[in-house]
Amino acid sequence: MKYALLLFCMLTGTGILSISAQSRKILLKNVTLIDGTGSAARQHVNLLLEGDHIADISMGNAKPSVDVQVKDYSGRTIMPALICAHAHVGVLKGTKIGAENYTRENLLRELKRYEQYGVGALLCMGTDRPLIFDGFRDSSEAGELPGARLYSAGYGFAAPASPPGGSWTDQLFRPATAEQVPAEMDSLARLHPSVVKMWVDDFGGSAQKMKPEIYQAIIREAHKHGIKVAAHLYYLEDAHKLVAAGLDIIAHSIRDKVVDDELLKEMKEKGVAYIPTLTRDESTYIYAENPGWMSSAFFKASLEPGVYEMISSRAYQDKIKNSTAYLQNKQAVEIAMQNLKKITDAGILVVMGTDSGAEPSRAQGFCEQWALESMVEAGLTPLQAIEAGTRNAAVLLKISDRYGTLEPGKKADFIVLNESPERNILNTRKIRGIWKDGKEVSQGPLSGR
């Protein structure tokens, strides 16, 4: 009998602890709130957290109940955790990328790095591997694993014998005919990807583009499964053809020409989203120009061992400057920025993405912070850039019922900043704390230094 009583007490105690954890209440008092909706910041706001979600947002000095832990956040700003809709994870280690790096340990390490820079969730765009589909991805989405929440496009589609190449892309589908696509899409759909990714580009004329009948089949078959399709592209001409074929997401900037009104109209009418991976293109030349942030501790903390030495070396920088693509890449970014402004002004859904993690020079976490700055340089306001990296990204990933904006009932995933970025976007780098599921999980990449 006494053992039964002991067991009962133990079980009851566990239940009490569980209930206590779920009902934990914290009041973050007197904050400046940027809620991610694009609205102006609100001053002197109180954020009531209950368990893993936001229970209430109020103004003024209402006296909290006795069961609430109060934290005075005067002088601090809170904004939603960032969401990157175009990244790559697991394949980067040191100065190399490869399939051999795709381990559970490396994935967790990288997701933690993203989180330290304020990235609460990310979409890996088509280069994942079987490891994550045996519970890892689902556990990460649910917040049961540390670091940023991982969403996946599964295995992407590319043209035969065309980029992307390397061991880390050996899981891609490479249909030679449209007839191969239905069975391949059925196989991919069983993994429940957030989107389908396809590479249609010729990579600067170095490869064959994906045949139109194949990308049309990819779009058609994905839509049968209720999955949106994202395309890696470069040219305005391809954007026209793909949008006409039913494409849902342009996953890179259009970089060869300024977009025309016809494309803007069709994108708006069809609800096509646009991911301007500006930092992907800037990273092809920027290190040769030694930007001011390059020597900062905030940037260096995002790099793999050996990468700073590589990108700051004279040999690396001279190779960039002497490349025939140097001026072309800079011009491509200028066009990309013009297009981002035009697309934003047209009312098209713009979503933050960076292509971070696909090369050692595309630093995970820092690129997302840099992307906000680049979008502002393109003519967006700081609040528009933040909205692209919070609300809009959540809408694209179909998770806006829980993430992307700070509202009652949504998950308490947010960044605490020492200064407001409403007028100076660089203040998103002044991280005081990162919260996930109502708990502080990091104080930023420089904590403890």
Side-chain angles (χ1 to χ4, degrees):
M1 174 66 75
K2 66 179 180 180
Y3 294 113
L5 181 60
L6 176 61
L7 178 61
F8 174 80
C9 291
M10 290 173 64
L11 292 173
T12 304
T14 301
I16 291 171
L17 287 174
S18 176
I19 293 170
S20 176
Q22 287 297 315
S23 62
R24 181 185 74 253
K25 294 181 181 180
I26 301 173
L27 183 68
L28 305 182
K29 191 176 180 180
N30 202 30
V31 308
T32 296
L33 181 67
I34 295 176
D35 62 15
T37 66
S39 300
R42 286 179 275 168
Q43 310 291 327
H44 310 298
V45 173
N46 304 315
L47 225 63
L48 178 63
L49 314 181
E50 185 169 353
D52 63 359
H53 68 279
I54 299 169
D56 188 41
I57 297 176
S58 62
M59 310 284 286
N61 294 309
K63 187 176 180 180
S65 58
V66 293
D67 62 338
V68 176
Q69 178 185 359
V70 178
K71 295 178 180 286
D72 187 354
Y73 268 28
S74 299
R76 300 178 195 173
T77 296
I78 289 180
M79 61 172 277
L82 296 170
I83 301 171
C84 178
H86 189 152
H88 297 274
V89 293
V91 297
L92 175 62
K93 200 167 188 179
T95 60
K96 305 293 183 183
I97 56 173
E100 67 277 7
N101 298 328
Y102 200 92
T103 64
R104 180 182 178 88
E105 178 186 22
N106 201 34
L107 284 164
L108 290 172
R109 186 178 63 90
E110 292 184 354
L111 292 174
K112 182 64 176 177
R113 177 189 297 148
Y114 276 109
E115 183 178 74
Q116 289 176 331
Y117 282 82
V119 181
L122 58 91
L123 172 65
C124 184
M125 265 293 195
T127 54
D128 274 319
R129 303 181 67 77
L131 168 66
I132 71 161
F133 298 113
D134 189 21
F136 185 101
R137 184 266 315 265
D138 294 342
S139 296
S140 179
E141 284 186 19
E144 296 166 0
L145 298 178
R149 302 176 197 272
L150 175 62
Y151 294 82
S152 175
Y155 315 131
F157 287 79
S162 290
S167 64
W168 64 296
T169 63
D170 62 359
Q171 299 293 313
L172 301 185
F173 296 107
R174 296 182 182 272
T177 67
E179 288 70 28
Q180 293 174 241
V181 173
E184 293 174 339
M185 189 63 70
D186 288 345
S187 173
L188 177 60
R190 285 193 285 271
L191 301 176
H192 305 290
S194 297
V195 303
V196 171
K197 166 75 176 292
M198 60 182 183
W199 285 260
V200 302
D201 190 21
D202 66 0
F203 292 83
S206 65
Q208 292 293 319
K209 290 183 181 180
M210 180 179 283
K211 296 176 181 178
E213 63 268 25
I214 293 177
Y215 67 64
Q216 290 165 6
I218 292 169
I219 294 170
R220 182 172 61 251
E221 295 301 317
H223 287 178
K224 287 181 181 179
H225 290 281
I227 309 171
K228 292 184 177 182
V229 181
H232 172 117
L233 57 74
Y234 187 96
Y235 304 105
L236 177 61
E237 179 184 11
D238 289 335
H240 272 288
K241 293 177 180 178
L242 285 158
V243 170
L247 182 72
D248 304 288
I249 305 163
I250 294 177
H252 285 286
S253 297
I254 297 167
R255 289 158 277 177
D256 68 319
K257 295 177 182 177
V258 175
V259 294
D260 53 68
D261 291 341
E262 180 186 352
L263 181 65
L264 295 175
K265 182 175 182 290
E266 192 168 10
M267 288 177 68
K268 181 70 180 294
E269 289 177 350
K270 292 186 174 182
V272 178
Y274 188 74
I275 304 177
T277 52
L278 296 175
T279 60
R280 180 253 179 244
D281 298 297
E282 289 179 291
S283 70
T284 62
Y285 66 83
I286 198 71
Y287 300 115
E289 300 183 354
N290 288 298
W293 47 256
M294 189 169 167
S295 60
S296 70
F298 189 79
F299 169 63
K300 290 181 179 180
S302 69
L303 298 173
E304 285 286 296
V307 174
Y308 183 76
E309 290 76 13
M310 179 183 76
I311 62 176
S312 62
S313 69
R314 175 62 65 86
Y316 184 91
Q317 296 184 357
D318 285 349
K319 183 179 179 180
I320 292 174
K321 288 181 178 178
N322 295 330
S323 169
T324 55
Y326 177 55
L327 293 179
Q328 179 183 341
N329 288 336
K330 294 188 72 171
Q331 184 180 21
V333 170
E334 292 175 2
I335 294 172
M337 287 189 169
Q338 292 180 57
N339 286 338
L340 172 57
K341 184 65 167 70
K342 289 193 70 172
I343 287 168
T344 301
D345 290 347
I348 293 163
L349 186 72
V350 171
V351 178
M352 185 183 75
T354 62
D355 214 2
S356 57
E359 294 286 348
S361 59
R362 301 178 202 166
Q364 295 165 314
F366 180 83
C367 273
E368 285 64 36
Q369 291 284 341
W370 179 17
L372 297 175
E373 178 186 3
S374 295
M375 287 191 283
V376 171
E377 288 179 359
L380 276 64
T381 68
L383 289 174
Q384 284 178 316
I386 290 170
E387 186 180 7
T390 55
R391 186 196 76 88
N392 293 0
V395 168
L396 182 75
L397 292 178
K398 298 180 180 179
I399 57 173
S400 59
D401 59 326
R402 290 158 288 160
Y403 309 107
T405 56
L406 299 180
E407 303 174 72
K410 293 195 176 183
K411 284 293 189 81
D413 286 13
F414 53 81
I415 314 169
V416 181
L417 303 169
N418 283 326
E419 294 185 44
S420 173
E422 184 175 17
R423 291 181 176 80
N424 183 356
I425 195 63
L426 296 182
N427 286 340
T428 62
R429 303 178 190 183
K430 296 179 179 179
I431 297 171
R432 180 66 176 261
I434 310 294
W435 288 61
K436 177 182 179 181
D437 284 332
K439 299 177 183 176
E440 186 176 48
V441 292
S442 172
Q443 293 183 332
L446 303 182
S447 61
R449 293 194 174 204

